[in-house]
Amino acid sequence: IGLDEAQGECVCFIDVDHIVSPNYLHQMRDLMVEKDATIVCTKYARNKMTDYEKIVNKSEEMNGKKAVDALLQMTIDNGMVAKMFSKKVIGATRMPNVAVAEDLYFNYQVLKRAKKVVLNDSMLYSYIETKGSLSTKHFSTERMGSLIAVKKIDAEEKSFYSMARVFMEAYFI
């Protein structure tokens, strides 16, 4: 619903229990404009309530194909946070209706169409882990739904099994 109602040129996803730098949107937008990028990604801290903000001028630029490769190799985080997307590159793409890894498939679809993706080393987002959330569980029936996203990507990429194995080892084993 949020994507359908968004009025601006760019979209960011911020979890309600996470923390962003007061400069987050400004820095992301500046990078997007300066680099003429369709997607900007930054790093994020885990569980830091303060002192996580770190602005770095080091960036890597890549096209959509290289960005998809980086996503599949887990160089680009598969989550929605710490990213700014041009609404044009999102287009009609929406997340599949699964409890976990819906963002992996969304990112895959959007990165494929990206003209330019910028990976910046700034840390402007703090990912606060909430005890008992899906992202902190190692195994659950909800997590099994993530295999739907992996299967969809593998059907298109035909060489996704190595990333799927890494994903399985990280979250299920």
Side-chain angles (χ1 to χ4, degrees):
I1 293 171
L3 285 173
D4 293 334
E5 297 297 322
Q7 299 295 311
E9 296 174 16
C10 306
V11 176
C12 283
F13 297 87
I14 302 171
D15 282 3
V16 68
D17 57 347
H18 297 179
I19 300 169
V20 297
S21 159
N23 299 313
Y24 179 67
L25 295 175
H26 179 72
Q27 291 289 331
M28 299 288 275
R29 180 70 177 145
D30 282 356
L31 273 169
M32 185 172 271
V33 170
E34 175 188 328
K35 303 287 187 178
D36 192 29
T38 46
I39 301 172
V40 174
C41 309
T42 65
K43 297 184 182 288
Y44 59 86
R46 279 201 180 267
N47 295 318
K48 287 201 171 200
M49 301 299 277
T50 59
D51 300 327
Y52 62 87
E53 181 178 70
K54 179 176 126 184
I55 298 174
V56 179
N57 288 327
K58 183 180 173 198
S59 294
E60 179 182 355
E61 299 176 22
M62 58 185 66
N63 63 26
K65 169 69 174 122
K66 188 173 177 189
V68 166
D69 291 344
L71 176 70
L72 300 182
Q73 294 167 16
M74 300 173 90
T75 304
I76 293 179
D77 188 78
N78 68 345
M80 299 301 293
V81 300
K83 293 178 180 70
M84 179 175 278
F85 302 88
S86 161
K87 273 188 57 187
K88 288 180 182 175
V89 77
I90 292 173
T93 304
R94 298 298 181 264
M95 289 176 227
N97 190 20
V98 294
V100 178
E102 70 283 2
D103 40 8
L104 170 63
Y105 191 68
F106 177 90
N107 280 315
Y108 168 72
Q109 291 294 322
V110 173
L111 286 169
K112 278 194 316 186
R113 292 191 303 272
K115 177 180 77 173
K116 186 189 289 184
V117 177
V118 173
L119 303 180
N120 181 266
D121 283 348
S122 294
M123 195 171 300
L124 303 169
Y125 193 102
S126 187
Y127 183 108
I128 307 299
E129 291 180 352
T130 305
K131 188 177 180 178
S133 70
L134 281 176
S135 62
T136 61
K137 292 181 182 179
H138 287 287
F139 180 80
S140 67
T141 54
E142 292 89 357
R143 275 210 172 280
M144 292 302 290
S146 63
L147 296 177
I148 294 168
V150 171
K151 185 176 179 181
K152 285 181 177 185
I153 295 170
D154 184 60
E156 293 182 41
E157 290 296 312
K158 308 292 188 226
S159 61
F160 191 55
Y161 287 110
S162 61
M163 192 280 184
R165 188 180 77 246
V166 170
F167 180 82
M168 292 294 289
E169 289 171 359
Y171 290 107
F172 296 109
I173 298 174

